């Protein structure tokens, strides 16, 4: 099992624990350029930044291309590609659409797993989405849970590292 940490744009990097993998959220209303810059700062202090790429928070392919390009130029090696918020602000409504652009080539890709399901997606649609995204993904990231049985059941259904 690998441990990681998720931070926001306002996180004080001088107070981070010795964990190497640091996921950076891109919340609705925040700017992708700020996330890319935070990733650059993390690289400078020896961390492995993993910026979030939430499909429904990215306006169009030009914005996605700029965001991915900035991250790659700064030395980012890994990305978490997710659906993101409720309502799309632009052309993308699913993480699968981001993969289909081909822009993530050369990056290690994580996708979100939901051992306890998701309030936004039915279990059957969630299962289909996992199957559709697996060809693009290197690993699955899940939230931390207090109960082990949902995680054990989830892992038994996956063919990627969790």
């Amino acid at each position: 099992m690998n441990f990681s940490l998720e931070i926001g744009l306002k996180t004080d990097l001088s107070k981070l624990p010795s964990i190497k993998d640091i996921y950076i959220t891109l919340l609705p209303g925040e700017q992708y350029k700020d996330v890319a810059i935070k990733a650059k700062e993390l690289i400078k202090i020896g961390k492995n930044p993993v910026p979030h790429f939430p499909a429904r928070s990215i306006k169009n392919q030009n914005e996605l291309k700029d965001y991915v390009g900035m991250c790659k130029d700064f030395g980012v090696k890994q990305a978490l590609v997710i659906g993101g918020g409720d309502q799309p602000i632009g052309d993308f409504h699913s993480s699968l659409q981001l993969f289909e652009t081909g822009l993530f080539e050369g990056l290690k890709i994580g996708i979100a797993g939901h051992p306890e399901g998701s309030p936004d997606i039915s279990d059957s649609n969630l299962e289909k989405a996992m199957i559709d995204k697996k060809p693009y993904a290197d690993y699955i990231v899940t939230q931390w849970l207090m109960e082990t049985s949902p995680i054990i059941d989830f892992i038994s259904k996956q063919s990627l590292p969790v």
Side-chain angles (χ1 to χ4, degrees), residues 22-135:
I22 309 292
Y23 288 75
I24 312 164
T25 60
L26 173 54
L27 298 174
E30 293 181 338
Q31 301 300 310
Y32 70 90
K33 291 180 180 185
D34 294 332
V35 174
I37 290 167
K38 185 67 90 172
K40 182 179 181 180
E41 293 169 2
L42 285 163
I43 289 169
K44 285 182 180 178
I45 61 170
K47 303 292 185 183
N48 176 44
V50 186
H52 288 197
F53 286 82
R56 290 183 282 279
S57 293
I58 298 173
K59 291 179 185 166
N60 54 44
Q61 186 154 338
N62 288 336
E63 186 173 285
L64 177 63
K65 184 176 182 179
D66 188 44
Y67 184 19
V68 173
M70 286 180 70
C71 288
K72 286 181 176 181
D73 289 347
F74 292 155
V76 169
K77 305 290 184 212
Q78 199 168 335
L80 179 65
V81 181
I82 57 176
D86 287 340
Q87 297 300 317
I89 66 164
D91 298 339
F92 301 113
H93 66 309
S94 74
S95 55
L96 188 58
Q97 290 176 300
L98 298 186
F99 290 128
E100 291 170 345
T101 67
L103 293 171
F104 292 94
E105 187 173 326
L107 293 175
K108 183 177 180 181
I109 300 298
I111 59 174
H114 303 277
E116 293 184 313
S118 171
D120 302 322
I121 305 171
S122 71
D123 288 346
S124 61
N125 285 343
L126 195 55
E127 190 171 324
K128 181 183 180 331
M130 291 299 291
I131 291 166
D132 291 345
K133 292 185 284 186
K134 279 184 184 180

